[in-house]
């Protein structure tokens, strides 16, 4: 959906936002103009759902409600199209602010610390699930829907249709956040180059195995070496892309599951237990007991150090020289320029920007020259571990928001995630949250132009991709430590081991402060005694766990690749 069409629709809907006219007539105009058959519901059921919203909203008509989210295409659509539509239909005036991701967290923290109602609802990452559960300042949606919010909970919400609920559910079994959009980090590669007969023959002659989707980091490394400096279509290309500037975005590059891809932490889905992909260990009561290997954690263990070393080696040897000085946003468009053979992980939120007509990576018929595939894993990785990251922006309502405002905001949160609008919204932003949407015929039809995105989300593999889990007790405080530590390694100021030693120590300082303050009660940190790596590895093995693993002397394992088309067929046969 082009942005000018979005704003045209929004202007039309704004013209009919008079509270006196809110009702079914406005709902039908919205369904005609914006939804049509882009819904998993029939028109009759769409109208039924809209009538429910109209009736439930009557006590709140005329209220001015403010919600906030980060600025991505999905939320732009909500702010510019769905918010005006909701206002027109219900009479509840919605202001949906769009700000930076860091700013959303800052506003959230301000409200949590002050108790003042800054926003009536937030779309914030499910990475904060451990924070929300431990501080108990976010409403349990499980309790809310059963009690105070029962009269404003859509009977057609169908929670089980949401694919990300396990990411927003705390160890107490309660749901604290409702997914609004989600996207994964997947391996990206030039399908056309990988299927070129000369490239295949030359690769096989040099490495002794077939060029294909790398299953492990060893194969990824060989492919990166093979393509770097190779002449493809009359130009020299690169075998890898990344970014390395010391900037807050460098932290996401690593907290978004890089260590787990290497094999850090324990087995367990959606996150490793008792040690998660950040290297934070919890006890049987979900209390964080440490981050450093000395306390049984894994942030500075052999798998974590290996992950940093590989990051540095590949950047230096196989990526464009400019990548070292780039931020996340600066590096994002580079693969679409046509000189990159593969990227270890690409946020699928970039999909819409990677399939635009006229790009060097798009065919004349609109199909991409590239594909998404599962990310390869490092030498420490074991079956049963998570394999990548999913970002799940989720509706969160704080207890400091007055009940009537919370109810009105909850109605809007359900409207923008409803079955009536979700298929259309998903086509705009490509951030899929509902199983029914993923299976919709319109996505079957569009799948050939999305480079494997739909095939991945329909596959059994997707469960191995998950957000930060519940072991992280204060995401805002801990996440900001990462980019500084990794930045020291990227700049050469510290070795990978020194950088991760520093990171785990800084994380434990935060855990210690939380323990002393007692603000998280009996589910807050309780640091363990210190011992050496061998002690904690032996303890883990005795309990049937992995982390922290001992160092593997030869970290260059046998490379393995798989044919992409065969991989997709295996998904479909499941």
């Amino acid at each position: 959906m082009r942005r000018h069409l979005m704003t045209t629709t929004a202007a039309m809907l704004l013209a009919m936002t008079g509270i006196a006219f809110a009702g079914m007539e406005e709902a039908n105009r919205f369904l005609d103009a914006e939804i049509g058959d882009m819904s998993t519901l029939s028109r009759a059921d769409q109208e039924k759902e809209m009538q429910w919203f109209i009736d439930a909203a009557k006590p709140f008509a005329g209220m001015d409600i403010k919600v906030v989210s980060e600025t991505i295409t999905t939320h732009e659509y909500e702010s510019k199209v769905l918010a005006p539509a909701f206002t027109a239909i219900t009479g509840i005036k919605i202001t949906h602010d769009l700000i930076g991701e860091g700013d959303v967290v800052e506003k959230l923290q301000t409200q949590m610390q002050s108790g003042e109602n800054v926003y009536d609802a937030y779309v914030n990452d499910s990475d904060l699930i451990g924070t929300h559960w431990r501080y108990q300042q976010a409403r349990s949606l499980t309790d809310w829907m059963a009690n105070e919010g029962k009269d404003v909970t859509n009977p057609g919400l169908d929670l089980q249709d949401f694919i990300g609920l396990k990411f927003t559910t705390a160890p107490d079994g309660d749901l604290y956040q409702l997914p609004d959009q989600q996207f994964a980090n997947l391996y990206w590669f030039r399908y056309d180059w990988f299927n070129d007969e000369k490239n295949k023959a030359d690769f096989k002659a040099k490495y002794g195995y077939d060029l294909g989707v790398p299953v492990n980091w060893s194969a990824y490394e060989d492919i990166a070496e093979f393509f770097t400096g190779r002449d493809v279509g009359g130009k020299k290309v690169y075998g890898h892309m990344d970014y390395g500037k010391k900037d807050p975005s460098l932290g996401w590059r690593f907290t978004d599951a890089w260590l787990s891809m290497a094999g850090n932490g324990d087995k367990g889905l959606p996150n490793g237990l008792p040690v998660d992909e950040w290297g934070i260990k919890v006890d049987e009561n979900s209390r964080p007991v440490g981050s450093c290997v000395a306390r049984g954690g894994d942030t500075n263990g052999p798998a974590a150090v290996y992950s940093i070393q590989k990051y540095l080696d590949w950047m230096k040897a196989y990526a464009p020289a400019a990548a070292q000085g780039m931020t996340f946003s600066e590096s994002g468009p580079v693969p679409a320029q046509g000189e990159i053979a593969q990227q270890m992980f690409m946020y699928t939120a970039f999909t819409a920007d990677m399939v635009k007509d006229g790009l060097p990576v798009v065919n004349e018929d609109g199909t991409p020259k590239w594909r998404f595939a599962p990310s390869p894993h490092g030498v420490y990785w074991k079956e049963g571990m998570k394999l990548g990251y999913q970002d799940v922006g989720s509706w969160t309502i704080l207890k400091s928001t007055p009940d009537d405002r919370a109810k009105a905001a909850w109605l809007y949160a359900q409207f923008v995630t409803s079955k009536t609008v979700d298929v259309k919204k998903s086509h705009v932003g490509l951030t899929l949250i509902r199983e029914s949407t993923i299976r919709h015929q319109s996505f079957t039809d569009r799948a050939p132009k999305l480079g494997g995105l739909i095939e991945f989300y329909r596959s059994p593999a997707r469960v191995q991709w998950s957000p930060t889990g519940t072991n992280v007790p204060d995401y805002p405080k801990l996440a900001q430590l990462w980019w500084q530590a990794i930045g020291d390694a990227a700049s050469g100021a510290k070795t990978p081991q020194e950088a991760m030693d520093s990171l785990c120590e800084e994380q434990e300082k935060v855990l210690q402060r939380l323990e002393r303050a007692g603000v998280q009660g009996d589910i807050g940190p309780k640091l363990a005694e210190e011992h050496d790596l061998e002690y904690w590895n032996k303890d883990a093995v005795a309990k049937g766990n992995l982390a922290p693993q001992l160092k593997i002397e030869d970290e260059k394992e046998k490379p393995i690749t798989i044919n992409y088309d065969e991989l997709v067929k295996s998904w479909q046969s499941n």
Side-chain angles (χ1 to χ4, degrees):
M1 172 60 69
R2 300 285 190 266
R3 190 172 298 181
H4 71 270
L5 290 180
M6 288 164 50
T7 53
T8 299
T9 306
M12 178 198 76
L13 291 163
L14 278 169
M16 55 183 197
T17 55
I19 296 167
F21 303 105
M24 205 60 217
E25 184 177 341
E26 286 70 27
N28 279 317
R29 286 188 205 170
F30 167 69
L31 296 176
D32 289 339
E34 191 61 28
I35 303 300
D37 59 359
M38 282 290 181
S39 174
T40 56
L41 300 183
S42 66
R43 177 57 183 252
D45 285 340
Q46 292 172 32
E47 292 178 7
K48 182 180 178 183
E49 187 161 64
M50 292 301 100
Q51 187 63 60
W52 180 86
F53 279 108
I54 292 164
D55 294 340
K58 284 177 182 176
F60 315 102
M63 289 183 70
D64 286 291
I65 298 299
K66 287 184 65 178
V67 303
V68 67
S69 66
E70 65 175 302
T71 308
I72 64 172
T73 303
T74 298
H75 298 318
E76 288 179 347
Y77 179 72
E78 290 169 342
S79 177
K80 295 173 182 177
V81 177
L82 298 182
F86 180 79
T87 296
I89 293 165
T90 66
I92 299 172
K93 298 177 183 176
I94 292 286
T95 299
H96 185 150
D97 286 346
L98 302 173
I99 60 179
E101 181 182 2
D103 295 328
V104 173
V105 175
E106 186 179 327
K107 298 290 186 186
L108 185 75
Q109 283 181 292
T110 298
Q111 182 162 340
M112 289 172 66
Q113 290 163 5
S114 70
E116 296 295 321
N117 190 49
V118 181
Y119 281 100
D120 300 304
Y122 296 79
V123 181
N124 72 280
D125 285 357
S126 73
D127 298 327
L128 278 85
I129 180 63
T131 309
H132 291 318
W133 173 55
R134 287 188 177 85
Y135 281 111
Q136 288 293 299
Q137 292 198 37
R139 294 175 189 262
S140 158
L141 296 181
T142 301
D143 287 346
W144 170 253
M145 290 184 288
N147 297 296
E148 301 98 320
K150 187 175 184 179
D151 57 333
V152 287
T153 297
N154 180 7
L157 182 59
D158 191 5
L159 283 176
Q160 297 314 307
D161 192 39
F162 286 80
I163 63 172
L165 285 196
K166 59 183 179 293
F167 310 142
T168 58
T169 299
D172 63 4
D174 279 11
L175 185 73
Y176 284 84
Q177 300 171 279
L178 182 74
D180 177 273
Q181 51 82 7
Q182 68 186 73
F183 51 91
N185 270 344
L186 299 176
Y187 172 71
W188 179 96
F189 72 105
R190 284 296 297 269
Y191 179 78
D192 55 341
W193 296 356
F194 277 49
N195 282 297
D196 176 83
E197 291 304 324
K198 180 165 174 47
N199 287 343
K200 290 197 293 184
D202 289 353
F203 185 89
K204 182 72 174 282
K206 183 173 183 178
Y207 297 99
Y209 63 97
D210 292 332
L211 175 61
V213 172
V215 173
N216 55 20
W217 284 14
S218 185
Y220 182 89
E221 191 168 75
D222 286 349
I223 295 166
E225 179 187 64
F226 174 75
F227 277 107
T228 299
R230 187 173 177 81
D231 187 298
V232 179
K235 60 185 175 184
K236 299 290 184 183
V237 301
Y238 297 91
H240 174 65
M241 184 59 203
D242 216 318
Y243 64 99
K245 186 174 182 179
K246 193 170 184 179
D247 172 86
S249 67
L250 188 61
W252 312 336
R253 168 69 179 76
F254 292 88
T255 58
D256 291 357
W258 181 245
L259 274 63
S260 73
M261 293 165 65
N264 184 77
D266 275 309
K267 294 180 182 180
L269 298 174
N271 304 90
L273 277 176
V275 181
D276 72 355
E277 68 272 18
W278 282 37
I280 295 176
K281 182 179 181 179
V282 295
D283 65 15
E284 63 277 4
N285 296 312
S286 295
R287 296 179 299 189
V289 297
S291 172
C292 296
V293 162
R295 298 189 198 273
D298 204 14
T299 307
N300 63 334
V305 173
Y306 156 81
S307 80
I308 306 303
Q309 189 63 60
K310 286 301 179 187
Y311 158 74
L312 296 173
D313 291 348
W314 296 339
M315 176 101 74
K316 182 178 180 180
Y318 310 124
Q324 180 68 49
M326 287 184 175
T327 64
F328 167 78
S329 57
E330 291 166 343
S331 68
V334 173
Q337 295 166 9
E339 297 179 359
I340 306 296
Q342 60 173 357
Q343 184 163 315
M344 177 61 84
F345 63 66
M346 169 92 60
Y347 286 90
T348 61
F350 290 141
T351 306
D353 293 328
M354 301 285 292
V355 295
K356 291 178 178 175
D357 291 341
L359 285 175
V361 295
V362 176
N363 294 309
E364 288 185 9
D365 64 358
T367 57
K369 297 178 181 179
W370 54 267
R371 295 291 187 274
F372 286 126
S375 312
H377 50 70
V379 69
Y380 290 88
W381 189 88
K382 304 288 189 296
E383 196 67 47
M385 287 181 162
K386 68 181 287 182
L387 190 48
Y389 177 79
Q390 282 203 65
D391 183 291
V392 184
S394 307
W395 286 102
T396 308
I397 302 175
L398 297 181
K399 291 178 179 178
S400 52
T401 298
D403 277 359
D404 59 342
R405 303 189 67 80
K407 287 184 175 184
W410 176 237
L411 285 170
Y412 175 66
Q414 293 173 95
F415 179 80
V416 299
T417 58
S418 66
K419 286 186 175 180
T420 292
V421 307
D422 190 61
V423 171
K424 180 59 183 290
K425 186 180 88 169
S426 297
H427 274 289
V428 174
L430 298 175
T431 54
L432 301 153
I433 58 169
R434 284 185 176 272
E435 185 72 40
S436 59
T437 293
I438 293 166
R439 302 287 170 182
H440 193 257
Q441 181 61 42
S442 62
F443 276 110
T444 301
D445 297 340
R446 193 179 175 190
K449 293 189 175 182
L450 296 178
L453 177 68
I454 303 306
E455 288 84 349
F456 170 78
Y457 269 104
R458 289 178 175 179
S459 81
R462 77 173 187 217
V463 300
Q464 292 178 294
W465 275 253
S466 65
T468 301
T470 58
N471 285 23
V472 179
D474 193 320
Y475 184 90
K477 286 189 176 74
L478 292 164
Q480 66 183 343
L481 303 174
W482 284 67
W483 68 272
Q484 298 167 63
I486 303 297
D488 286 341
S491 68
K494 291 181 179 177
T495 66
Q497 183 70 64
E498 289 168 344
M500 300 313 278
D501 286 346
S502 173
L503 175 58
C504 79
E505 287 166 8
E506 291 301 313
Q507 291 207 120
E508 288 191 351
K509 287 178 183 177
V510 173
L511 299 181
Q512 196 165 51
R513 286 198 295 271
L514 289 172
E515 180 178 3
R516 286 173 178 166
V519 290
Q520 297 182 339
D522 59 5
I523 51 177
K526 185 175 176 59
L527 293 182
E529 292 182 4
E530 294 187 328
H531 298 281
D532 62 18
L533 170 61
E534 287 71 23
Y535 172 91
W536 286 114
N537 173 258
K538 186 176 180 181
D539 180 70
V541 171
K543 294 173 180 174
N545 301 317
L546 285 170
Q549 295 185 58
L550 301 177
K551 182 173 173 56
I552 297 172
E553 287 310 311
D554 184 5
E555 293 177 335
K556 175 70 173 176
E557 62 184 318
K558 180 184 178 181
I560 304 170
T561 58
I562 187 170
N563 179 276
Y564 174 79
D565 297 311
E566 293 302 316
L567 174 66
V568 173
K569 284 179 186 175
S570 74
W571 285 345
Q572 292 168 346
S573 66
N574 288 321

